[in-house]
Amino acid sequence: MLLGVLYRSEPLQDFQAWMDKTENLLSQLNVLWDGLLVVTGDMNIDLLKPELPQVKKYTDLLESLNLYQHVQCPTRTAPTSATLIDHIISNTPNRVTYCNVLPCPTVSDHDAPYVCINIRACRFQPRFKLLRDEKQSDEKAFIGDIASLPFNIVYGIDDPDQQLDIFNSLIKDCLDRHAPLRRSKITCPPAPWLNHSDVKQLQKERNELRYLAHKTNLSHVWNKFREVRNTIQTKIKKVKRAFYQKALSSKKPKELWKVIHRILHPNPKPINADPDQLNSHFSSTSQRLLGSGPTSPSALQELVNSLPVCMSNSFNICPVAHSEVLNQLRTIRSDCSTGIDQIPVKYLKMAADYIASPLTYIINGFIANHSFPDVWKTARVSPIPKVASPTELNHYRPISILPALSKVYERLTLNQIVKYIDQHNVLNENVTGFRKGHATSSVLLRV
């Protein structure tokens, strides 16, 4: 809740100057805050006489800014002045449950206006997600199972797409045995501080004491249970405070904003938009904005055929080595989301030594065919709300999540392109965008 307090002590002759100040302040508050806005103040304006021009302009201002004047009863009656009203204004009248004026003649010549406002924060609404159940997962058992998979089948097939399908099926079947997918109910926003070792140990001790207290019903056991329960609350507050201090003092903007968006300001409501409507809306974005549809495959093929014949020093994607693929698997970012193949990066990195060889064979097959696998071009689109309470399809931003293995192929290709550009000086030295070793300072130095 944001409280803005306005005072007016100028005579009514200076009403226009006061109105300009009021309009500026109310406009700024209304733009900067889209939640509950309350403005109070001693305005000394007779709102019971709307025929006055200054009062009419003030009420027009409130209406233009979608603000509502709650107090309608007189708050001051003086022999030398008109009946006056002190103001309480808000932009959400439905959240004001009651409004009245409290007489207090022994304290002041102004009665006290008051409102009852419903300021309950929106509770986190439960939602469901498909997550890998890792409670019974054993890393050594998973690696041993991966090592025994018949990846040699991949080498006996000529079609790279079929090779990739078999490769993915073997890994997914192994994953389902060790960490099956479960439909999990998320009932609260992320709270990483609850994973602290001290908190977990205290929770385990609390659960044991609670079971023992119900079983024996002894007073000293109940007292011990209450003592540990209170200790947990104190420990959680301490760990939570330390987590916030460490996160907000980080010098890495990405980590800082991740904490702000996911933990400090989580979306309390799940997305209820129709997936089919969102899909149609996102897929037609270019047509709506540019007025043109997607290019046909035949037109793309004609464009490729019209390009000049490759010269001896032209760029060509070369086959990749086993060591390159293994390095990319080990260095891929662990915080990447899972694509439609449902294979998390965590398990790919665990099995890197065993899947690098067949994956190298598959990628080289696609390089030889000058193609990119269709399954790696299919994205899982996640709609991210742009506003707090989305009501339209335009209020969502589409985030495309590709399979993690596609990033390995992309990175290997990128390394070859960058190497070719640097060796042949394709780009001017003043071009600094998306180039390693360049930043905003590089542009400023060349200006």
Side-chain angles (χ1 to χ4, degrees), residues 383-403:
I384 306 299
K386 302 179 188 177
V387 296
S389 300
T391 56
E392 303 176 5
L393 297 179
N394 285 327
H395 291 165
Y396 295 95
R397 178 185 297 108
I399 302 297
S400 299
I401 303 172
L402 293 167

Side-chain angles (χ1 to χ4, degrees), residues 430-446:
N430 293 326
V431 179
T432 61
F434 303 101
R435 297 184 66 184
K436 191 175 182 179
H438 295 266
T440 308
S441 56
S442 304
V443 181
L444 296 175
L445 292 174
R446 289 180 173 87

Side-chain angles (χ1 to χ4, degrees), residues 1-7 25-26 28-30 32-41 43 67 70 87-92 96 113-117 119:
M1 181 174 63
L2 177 64
L3 296 178
V5 183
L6 297 177
Y7 296 99
L25 177 59
L26 290 178
Q28 291 180 9
L29 292 176
N30 203 50
L32 293 176
W33 188 265
D34 60 352
L36 176 60
L37 169 65
V38 177
V39 181
T40 65
M43 306 304 186
L67 298 174
H70 293 285
H87 291 189
I88 298 182
I89 306 165
S90 80
N91 61 345
T92 52
V96 175
Y114 66 93
V115 292
C116 299
I117 305 174
I119 58 173

Side-chain angles (χ1 to χ4, degrees), residues 112-150:
Y114 66 93
V115 292
C116 299
I117 305 174
N118 182 6
I119 58 173
R120 288 185 300 173
C122 296
R123 299 190 63 180
F124 187 87
Q125 297 183 9
R127 59 208 66 184
F128 295 90
K129 287 186 177 181
L130 281 176
L131 302 174
R132 292 280 179 187
D133 186 4
E134 301 181 356
K135 293 182 179 179
Q136 307 297 329
S137 179
D138 185 354
E139 182 176 346
K140 292 183 178 180
F142 170 73
I143 294 176
D145 198 356
I146 281 285
S148 63
L149 292 178

